[in-house]
Amino acid sequence: MRPYSLTRRLVIAVLLVELLSAMAITGLALAYERHTQFHAFDIMLRGRAYSLLGAVQDAEDAGDNVMLDGTERSLPSRDIYEVTDANGRVLGRSSNWRGSGDVAPNMNDDGIFRAKINGRHYRAIRVHGVRIVDPGDKGGGIPRHVTVIYGSETEHVWDVITDAVEFYAMASLLLLAISGVLMFWLLNRGLEPLRQLAAAAATVSVDSWEFAPSEQARGIKELAPLTGALETVLHGLKRSFQQQHQFVSDAAHELKTAVAVAKSSVQLLTMRHRTAMEYEAGLERCQADCERMEEIVAKMLTLARVESQEESKSVSHATKLLDCVYAAGEQLATVAQEKGMHISIDGDDAVVVDVAAEQLQLLCSNLILNALQHSTEGSEVRAVVQTRRHSVDIRVEDDGSGIEPEMLPHVFDRFYRSDPSRSRKTGGTGLGLAICKAITIRAHGNIDIVSELGRGTTVTVHFPVSTFIVT
């Protein structure tokens, strides 16, 4: 798709609207001027027709006829007129017209009609009047009906109308051009904060996550949501990138350490001739180191699979929570037995949640194993499933040595160990609680930890009500 200019589109759209408005205004101006000019023209026609009617006088003949008194000669020479009496006798007519017989007037109610005479367009009026002959005689005189037709060319009227419409049209086009230039300038100026925001976003890269929009962009109400969204997205991307970077670094460090330990074990065996028992012990150490590397890789793969979004959200699971806790307890029973510890499990066995059984059991196993690894011999690890109003909790408690307060915020970080030497001794990889957190987040729940030095640790997972399944 070819890029296009938003400014150009807005300017063209507004100009089109203004052009249509200008055309509408010009049309209205044409109608108004036509009405006004022809209304005045009709008044003029009517006045000149009545002046002709006033020029009809007594002919002073035996037949008591009427006649024009000669004042009609002062009328404009290009106008046409005809005065007739009731018998159709023409009392007077302009020299440039052969009479009303040449036209077929289509008169309106005011007696106005249009005609084309000698190739010219005329607008004319027909007026009927009565003149009294010998008004001083007995009976009030003799009435004589007279008809006056008077017309004038309309060319100059149309010239006036055309001039007025041209003025409106030219003024509209001039305003249209001025407004287009002003609008282009204002839009460019108004979109400058958006360009500044884009320039600030363009400076963000893998090596520089600093996003600093201008104060002008922050101060614009319409851009504030976009600025906030960009800051939120970039902050999330930065945190995710740093976590991934840290994960790769930690994983590389862990595997490098494990490989170095295995390599040193082999080198130690080859430094001098050893007995069969010493070789057997060295191979066992190498095997243990390889198993540790295998465990680290397996947990990394598990964590990556839990955090991936490949699994369809439409798939529904119905897993009995307490069954998973019991399965984890049975799985770790030998570990507890070797350390002389006891695992107690209790809770509501009717709770069913929408979480995959494999992940739920992995969560419970990691929590219980973590408690076993940090408990003292002869102590008890307690796993309880507790139903609340808006959530269901899995709580795992131990009576171990506890965790120092400053270390608690980091216990769910990947490869974090409060005591690395002790963790390796107990078989910890630093990924168990990170996997628990990833599973909990995937289920839209949350996990927290409370610990007190010398008193033990409690880890609680809260599943929201949205994960419940009514059975």
Side-chain angles (χ1 to χ4, degrees), residues 33 62 68 90 112 162 194 226 228 282 323 326 387 407 448 458-459:
E33 287 294 330
L68 290 176
V90 178
I112 304 295
T162 303
L194 186 60
L226 178 60
D323 287 352
Y326 275 118
T387 305
M407 296 179 179
D448 58 56
T458 299
V459 181

Side-chain angles (χ1 to χ4, degrees), residues 319-342:
T319 306
K320 268 195 164 186
L321 187 54
L322 195 59
D323 287 352
C324 291
V325 180
Y326 275 118
E330 291 176 2
Q331 180 186 358
L332 298 170
T334 54
V335 177
Q337 188 175 2
E338 288 176 359
K339 301 185 69 172
M341 292 185 286
H342 174 66

Side-chain angles (χ1 to χ4, degrees), residues 170-471:
M170 293 304 296
S172 298
L173 289 176
L174 181 62
L175 290 176
L176 191 66
I178 294 174
S179 63
V181 174
L182 283 176
M183 195 163 33
F184 188 80
W185 179 76
L186 289 173
L187 279 175
N188 269 320
R189 186 180 175 84
L191 292 176
E192 181 59 26
L194 186 60
R195 283 192 284 272
Q196 293 176 358
L197 187 63
T203 60
V204 178
S205 66
V206 175
D207 300 323
S208 175
W209 290 94
E210 293 301 324
F211 175 59
S214 65
E215 291 300 322
Q216 189 179 8
R218 288 183 181 277
I220 295 177
K221 185 177 180 180
E222 288 76 7
L223 290 182
L226 178 60
T227 304
L230 283 174
E231 287 178 331
T232 302
V233 170
L234 290 175
H235 179 71
L237 287 175
K238 178 182 178 181
R239 186 176 57 185
S240 176
F241 180 81
Q242 289 175 340
Q243 287 178 344
Q244 294 295 329
H245 182 73
Q246 185 66 37
F247 178 74
V248 172
S249 299
D250 292 343
H253 176 74
E254 289 294 325
L255 291 176
K256 181 181 178 182
T257 302
V259 170
V261 171
K263 183 179 177 181
S264 63
S265 298
V266 174
Q267 287 176 339
L268 187 63
L269 286 177
T270 58
M271 288 180 67
R272 61 179 175 82
H273 182 73
R274 298 182 181 277
T275 65
M277 291 183 62
E278 288 175 330
Y279 279 120
E280 184 178 352
L283 291 175
E284 287 179 352
R285 285 197 299 273
C286 288
Q287 184 179 2
D289 293 334
C290 290
E291 289 175 350
R292 175 173 172 74
M293 283 190 287
E294 185 180 15
E295 182 184 4
I296 291 174
V297 172
K299 287 196 173 182
M300 288 170 58
L301 291 174
T302 300
L303 185 59
R305 187 175 64 252
V306 170
E307 291 182 335
S308 70
Q309 299 297 322
E310 294 177 359
E311 186 177 356
S312 173
K313 293 182 179 179
S314 61
V315 176
S316 179
H317 306 279
T319 306
K320 268 195 164 186
L321 187 54
L322 195 59
D323 287 352
C324 291
V325 180
Y326 275 118
E330 291 176 2
Q331 180 186 358
L332 298 170
T334 54
V335 177
Q337 188 175 2
E338 288 176 359
K339 301 185 69 172
M341 292 185 286
H342 174 66
I343 302 174
S344 70
I345 299 174
D346 192 15
D348 186 356
D349 62 352
V351 176
V352 177
V353 294
D354 186 15
V355 181
E358 178 188 356
Q359 293 188 6
L360 201 55
Q361 186 169 335
L362 179 60
L363 169 69
C364 298
S365 298
N366 284 346
L367 291 178
I368 295 174
L369 178 60
N370 190 68
L372 290 173
Q373 288 171 340
H374 296 89
S375 296
T376 56
E377 184 177 355
S379 61
E380 181 184 60
V381 172
R382 297 171 293 280
V384 180
V385 174
Q386 188 174 13
T387 305
R388 297 181 182 276
R389 183 177 180 184
H390 299 295
S391 68
V392 59
D393 301 343
I394 306 174
R395 189 175 70 252
V396 178
E397 303 172 334
D398 65 65
D399 300 321
S401 58
I403 304 171
E404 296 181 5
E406 63 271 21
M407 296 179 179
L408 281 178
H410 307 289
V411 295
F412 294 109
D413 295 346
R414 298 159 178 170
F415 297 109
Y416 181 81
R417 302 184 188 91
S418 57
D419 186 350
S421 60
R422 182 183 172 191
S423 296
R424 286 198 178 90
K425 194 179 298 179
T426 57
T429 61
L431 289 173
L433 288 180
I435 293 174
C436 292
K437 183 179 180 180
I439 294 174
T440 305
I441 292 176
R442 184 73 186 276
H444 307 291
N446 60 75
I447 184 170
D448 58 56
I449 183 169
V450 177
S451 184
E452 187 176 350
L453 287 175
R455 301 288 300 270
T457 303
T458 299
V459 181
T460 308
V461 176
H462 309 274
F463 287 112
V465 68
S466 59
T467 61
F468 292 4
I469 292 180
V470 179
T471 58

Side-chain angles (χ1 to χ4, degrees), residues 47-57 66-84 90-96 148-151:
R48 289 181 179 177
Y50 276 108
S51 68
L52 271 178
L53 186 61
V56 176
Q57 301 294 327
V66 291
M67 56 172 284
L68 290 176
D69 60 3
T71 56
E72 74 277 7
R73 297 186 185 91
S74 62
L75 294 173
S77 60
R78 300 183 66 173
D79 288 357
I80 59 172
Y81 66 88
E82 182 184 73
V83 182
T84 58
V90 178
L91 303 181
R93 177 186 294 162
S94 60
S95 59
N96 57 352
V148 178
I149 296 177
Y150 192 92

Side-chain angles (χ1 to χ4, degrees), residues 17-185:
V17 173
E18 288 189 352
L19 179 61
L20 293 175
S21 300
M23 293 173 65
I25 291 174
T26 303
L28 291 174
L30 173 62
Y32 174 77
E33 287 294 330
R34 184 180 180 280
H35 172 77
T36 303
Q37 294 297 330
F38 277 104
H39 181 68
F41 189 77
D42 292 343
I43 293 175
M44 182 272 294
L45 287 179
R46 190 175 296 279
R48 289 181 179 177
Y50 276 108
S51 68
L52 271 178
L53 186 61
V56 176
Q57 301 294 327
D58 186 357
E60 301 293 344
D61 57 3
D64 294 327
N65 294 316
V66 291
M67 56 172 284
L68 290 176
D69 60 3
T71 56
E72 74 277 7
R73 297 186 185 91
S74 62
L75 294 173
S77 60
R78 300 183 66 173
D79 288 357
I80 59 172
Y81 66 88
E82 182 184 73
V83 182
T84 58
D85 61 11
N87 298 321
R89 186 172 63 90
V90 178
L91 303 181
R93 177 186 294 162
S94 60
S95 59
N96 57 352
W97 191 31
R98 289 182 300 178
S100 59
D102 293 345
V103 298
N106 183 20
M107 289 183 295
N108 58 23
D109 293 339
D110 294 331
I112 304 295
F113 62 94
R114 293 188 296 273
K116 188 174 183 181
I117 300 171
N118 299 328
R120 297 177 182 275
H121 293 279
Y122 282 83
R123 186 176 177 90
I125 185 171
R126 185 193 296 270
V127 175
H128 300 282
V130 177
R131 302 301 297 173
I132 303 298
V133 177
D134 297 331
D137 293 350
K138 185 179 180 180
I142 305 170
R144 297 297 184 191
H145 293 274
V146 178
T147 299
V148 178
I149 296 177
Y150 192 92
S152 183
E153 289 184 83
T154 57
E155 183 178 356
H156 69 284
V157 181
W158 282 111
D159 288 342
V160 173
I161 295 173
T162 303
D163 290 344
V165 172
E166 283 180 355
F167 170 77
Y168 287 121
M170 293 304 296
S172 298
L173 289 176
L174 181 62
L175 290 176
L176 191 66
I178 294 174
S179 63
V181 174
L182 283 176
M183 195 163 33
F184 188 80
W185 179 76

